[in-house]
C-alpha cells in the first residue's frame, strides 16, 4: 500500500472543507472496503480524512420517518430494537451482509459507497473501464458469473454488491448529503446509477460531498416482509441474486407492495412494474409467478451468469411466498 | 525489536524504488549538509536523515494492548494487524488473507470484535485492544481457550486465535442461543481444517457454563 497522510475531521463541515482543498483525498469510515482497495492499489489516495470523529452515528425516530446517521455501524442498525420492529426488512438485509466483525466496522455511508466485487475491477493487471476509463471490460466475454442481467452497457456489466441498499431502495429512503455548495437530498433510487459509458461513476454523489444520513419514511411493511439472499455458501458471501419484499396484506389482498433485487444490476433494482401488478391481487402462487415474470422483462445474460435468468424469477416467487406466509 | 523494524523499513524502501523517504533524504537534508562536510559525516553516523524522514512520514499513536500502554510512531498505512505482529511482536493474532475474508486476524477493540487486517492502526488512537495473548490470567487459561482444547476445536490451529476472539464476542453479544445462531454469527471465521462442529461445541459449552467472560 502506498503511504499517505491521515487527518481526523470532527464535523461534516470541516470534513468537506478539508477534502475540498485536496486533489487526491478520500474520506474513510470503517475502512472495510477502502483499505482493501488501497492494499490492491485499485485506489491510492495521498490523504485520508478520517470522519469517525464526526457526530453522525445516531439513529433517531422522528415523526413520519427514521433518520440514520451515515456513520452508524451496520451491526448497530441491524440490531436496533426499534429498527427491527418498524423497519425489519432493513434489519434483515443488513444481517445478511458480510460477517459480524465487518458489520461492527462498516458504516451506513460506506456500505452505500462500496465498490463492485467484479474481479477484473480488483485486479490491476486486467482491463476494466470502471477502474481505468476506456481500458476495456474484462468481464464481457470473460468470467462474469456474478454479473448484471439488467441495465448493463457495453462498457460495464458489474453489479452493486450491497445488501442494505436493496432494502433501502424498496423502503424509498432518501440520502442526505453535504458538500462545498451546501446540503441536498437524493432519492435513494437515484443515488446509484447505471454504467452507461461512464462506469467509473457508481453514483450521483458529487466529488467532495459527504453523506450525512439517510431517512426512511414510516411504512406498513412490518409483518409480511422478507430478504432472500441466494449465494454460494449459506453465510459470508456476496449475493448471486437477492430479493427484498415488503407486502401490506389485508384480508388476503395485497394493498401495497415493494420489491427490489440485488446482484442483478449496477444499482439496487426496483421492480416497479411487478409491484403495480401485485397491488389489489389476492395472495396466490400464480400471482407471484406472474409478478416474477413481469419483473424479468428486459433481462439479458452474458454467459457465465445465464443461470440468473432462471434463478431470478424463482427467487422472486420464493421471497414473495415466504413474505406472504409470515 | 528496533533492529527488526529498520530491516522492515529498508525492505519497503527497496520495494518501492525511489520512495518519498529517499527523495527527502536526497533533496533536503543531504543538500543542506553537503555545504558542511564535517557535519555530514556526523549526520550520517547518527542517521539523522533517516530520523527526520521517519518523523515526516509517521504519526504518533497511543493505545493500550492487553492492558499495556504503548506510545509509538507509525506509518499511517500500518494496519492494526501489522502493528500487533511486527512492531509489538504479538504474533498470536494471525494473518490469513489480509483482505477481510477469513477472520484469522479478529481482535477486540474497545470490547468489539473487528478485523485487524482492515483496520488502520492510525485510526485507533487511545483504543483498548485485546488479543489472544491477553485472555489468560497468568497460567490460567480463559474458559474459551479451555473449551477449545477440551472439545478439539482445532486441527492445525491457524484460525484458532481468531475463532476464540470471535467466539467470546459471539456469546457477549447474545448471539450464541442455538447452534444455528452460533454458526451464523461465527461465519466470519473460516477454518480450512473444517473444525466447525467442535468449535460450535466449544462455544455452546462456554455459553451454557454461564461464566463471566
Ligand atoms: C469479506 C467481505 C465480505 C463482505 N460481504 C458483504 C455482503 O455480503 N454484503 C454487503 O452488503 N457488503 C459486504 N461487504 C462490504 C461491506 O459491507 C462494506 O465494505 C462496508 O459496508 C463499507 O463501509 P465502511 O464504513 O467500512 O466504508 P469505507 O471502506 O470506510 O469507505 C468506503 C467508501 O465510502 C467512502 N465513504 C465512507 N463514508 C462516507 C461518507 N459518510 N460520505 C462520503 N463518502 C464516504 C470512502 O471514501 C470510500 O470510498 C463485505 C466486505 C468484505 C471485506
Ligand atoms: S464489468 Fe465493469 S467493473 Fe467489471 S471489468 Fe467490466 S468495466 Fe470493470
Ligand atoms: S487476515 Fe483479516 S480477515 Fe483474513
Ligand atoms: S484449525 Fe486449521 S484452519 Fe482452523
Amino acid at each position: 500500500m502506498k503511504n499517505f497522510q491521515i487527518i481526523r475531521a470532527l464535523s461534516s463541515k470541516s470534513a468537506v472543507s478539508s477534502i475540498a482543498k485536496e486533489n487526491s483525498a478520500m474520506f474513510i469510515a470503517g475502512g472495510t472496503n477502502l483499505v482493501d482497495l488501497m492494499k490492491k492499489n485499485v485506489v491510492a489516495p495521498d490523504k485520508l480524512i478520517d470522519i469517525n470523529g464526526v457526530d453522525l452515528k445516531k439513529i433517531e425516530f422522528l415523526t413520519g420517518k427514521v433518520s440514520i446517521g451515515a456513520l452508524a455501524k451496520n451491526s448497530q442498525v441491524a440490531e436496533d430494537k426499534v429498527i427491527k420492529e418498524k423497519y425489519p426488512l432493513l434489519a434483515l438485509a443488513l444481517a445478511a451482509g458480510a460477517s459480524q466483525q465487518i458489520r461492527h466496522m462498516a458504516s451506513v455511508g460506506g456500505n452505500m459507497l462500496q465498490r463492485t466485487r467484479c474481479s477484473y475491477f480488483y485486479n490491476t493487471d486486467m482491463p476494466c473501464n470502471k477502474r481505468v476509463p476506456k481500458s476495456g471490460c474484462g468481464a464481457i466475454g470473460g468470467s462474469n458469473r456474478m454479473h448484471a442481467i439488467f441495465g448493463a452497457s457495453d462498457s460495464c456489466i458489474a453489479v452493486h454488491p450491497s445488501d442494505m441498499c436493496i432494502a433501502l431502495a424498496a423502503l424509498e429512503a432518501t440520502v442526505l448529503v453535504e458538500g462545498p455548495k451546501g446540503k441536498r437530498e437524493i432519492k435513494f433510487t437515484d443515488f446509484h446509477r447505471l454504467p452507461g459509458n461512464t462506469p467509473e461513476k457508481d453514483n450521483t454523489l458529487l466529488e467532495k460531498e459527504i453523506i450525512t444520513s439517510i431517512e426512511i419514511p414510516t411504512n406498513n411493511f412490518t409483518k409480511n416482509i422478507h430478504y432472500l439472499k441466494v449465494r454460494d455458501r449459506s453465510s459470508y458471501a456476496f449475493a448471486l441474486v437477492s430479493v427484498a419484499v415488503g407486502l401490506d396484506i389485508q384480508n388476503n389482498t395485497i394493498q401495497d407492495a415493494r420489491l427490489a433485487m440485488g446482484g442483478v444490476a449496477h444499482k439496487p433494482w426496483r421492480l416497479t412494474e411487478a409491484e403495480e401488478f401485485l397491488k389489489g391481487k389476492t395472495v396466490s402462487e400464480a400471482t407471484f409467478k406472474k409478478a416474477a415474470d413481469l419483473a424479468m422483462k428486459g433481462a439479458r445474460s452474458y454467459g457465465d451468469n445465464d443461470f440468473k435468468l432462471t434463478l431470478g424469477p424463482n427467487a422472486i416467487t420464493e421471497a414473495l411466498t415466504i413474505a406472504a406466509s409470515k | 525489536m528496533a533492529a527488526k523494524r529498520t530491516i522492515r523499513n529498508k525492505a519497503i524502501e527497496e520495494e518501492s524504488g525511489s520512495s518519498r523517504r529517499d527523495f527527502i533524504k536526497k533533496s533536503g537534508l543531504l543538500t543542506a549538509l553537503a555545504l558542511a562536510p564535517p557535519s555530514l559525516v556526523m549526520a550520517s553516523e547518527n542517521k539523522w536523515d533517516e530520523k527526520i524522514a521517519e518523523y515526516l512520514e509517521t504519526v504518533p499513536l497511543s493505545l493500550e494492548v492487553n492492558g499495556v500502554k504503548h506510545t509509538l510512531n507509525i506509518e499511517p498505512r500500518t494496519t492494526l494487524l501489522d502493528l500487533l505482529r511486527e512492531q509489538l511482536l504479538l504474533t498470536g493474532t494471525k494473518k490469513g488473507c489480509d483482505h477481510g475474508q477469513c477472520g484469522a486476524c479478529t481482535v477486540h477493540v474497545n470490547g468489539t470484535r473487528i478485523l485487524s487486517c482492515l483496520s488502520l492502526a492510525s485510526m485507533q488512537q487511545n483504543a483498548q485492544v485485546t488479543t489472544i495473548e491477553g485472555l489468560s490470567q497468568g497460567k490460567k487459561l480463559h474458559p474459551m481457550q479451555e473449551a477449545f482444547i477440551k472439545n478439539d476445536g482445532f486441527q492445525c490451529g491457524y484460525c484458532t486465535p481468531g475463532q476464540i476472539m470471535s467466539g467470546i464476542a459471539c456469546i457477549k453479544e447474545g448471539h450464541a442461543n442455538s447452534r444455528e445462531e452460533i454458526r451464523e454469527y461465527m461465519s466470519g471465521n473460516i477454518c480450512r481444517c473444517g473444525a466447525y462442529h467442535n468449535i460450535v461445541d466449544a462455544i455452546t459449552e462456554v455459553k451454557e457454563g454461564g461464566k463471566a467472560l
Side-chain angles (χ1 to χ4, degrees), chain B:
Chain B
M1 194 165 101
K4 185 167 174 154
R5 182 144 185 235
T6 322
I7 292 167
R8 200 173 64 87
N9 285 342
K10 265 235 155 56
I12 290 167
E13 252 175 64
E14 274 158 21
E15 231 173 60
S16 57
S18 170
S19 69
R20 202 138 54 103
R21 173 168 304 154
D22 271 343
F23 177 75
I24 294 166
K25 273 199 274 184
K26 280 178 201 142
S27 63
L29 198 67
L30 290 191
T31 326
L33 290 175
L35 301 169
S39 48
L40 170 61
V41 177
M42 214 172 82
S44 77
E45 271 172 4
N46 290 332
K47 294 201 157 59
W48 286 354
D49 48 353
E50 183 68 28
K51 280 178 195 155
I52 289 178
E54 185 166 307
Y55 175 78
L56 292 175
E57 288 197 350
T58 59
V59 289
L61 171 72
S62 302
L63 83 178
E64 209 178 287
V65 182
N66 302 329
V68 180
K69 216 172 157 159
H70 297 271
T71 306
L72 331 121
N73 281 308
I74 56 157
E75 288 190 345
R77 64 178 160 184
T78 313
T79 60
L80 179 59
L81 176 61
D82 287 344
L83 176 81
L84 291 169
R85 290 183 55 86
E86 297 189 22
Q87 298 194 35
L88 304 180
L89 301 184
L90 292 167
T91 52
T93 306
K94 298 300 181 226
K95 183 182 279 193
C97 64
D98 211 21
H99 288 282
Q101 299 182 359
C102 76
C105 66
T106 304
V107 299
H108 298 178
V109 172
N110 302 326
T112 303
R113 56 171 153 162
I114 57 114
L115 299 178
S116 59
C117 73
L118 290 184
S119 164
L120 294 175
S122 48
M123 288 168 66
Q124 302 300 341
Q125 200 60 254
N126 300 323
Q128 293 193 324
V129 181
T130 307
T131 70
I132 189 82
E133 289 93 342
L135 293 183
S136 64
Q137 295 190 314
K139 290 217 158 125
K140 193 172 168 354
L141 291 181
H142 184 279
M144 190 64 80
Q145 291 174 308
E146 299 265 18
F148 265 66
I149 296 171
K150 187 175 155 211
N151 291 282
D152 265 338
F154 51 86
Q155 288 179 41
C156 77
Y158 198 81
C159 70
T160 314
Q163 299 281 2
I164 289 177
M165 297 313 289
S166 213
I168 294 168
C170 184
I171 295 177
K172 282 189 175 171
E173 287 164 6
H175 289 306
N177 299 308
S178 65
R179 293 187 75 88
E180 215 176 28
E181 192 183 20
I182 292 172
R183 278 186 167 268
E184 176 57 40
Y185 281 86
M186 288 296 291
S187 71
N189 293 82
I190 307 288
C191 174
R192 288 298 267 168
C193 299
Y196 297 113
H197 189 90
N198 297 0
I199 292 170
V200 177
D201 284 349
I203 296 172
T204 306
E205 189 176 296
V206 176
K207 155 87 182 164
E208 284 170 0
K211 279 194 200 144
L213 296 180

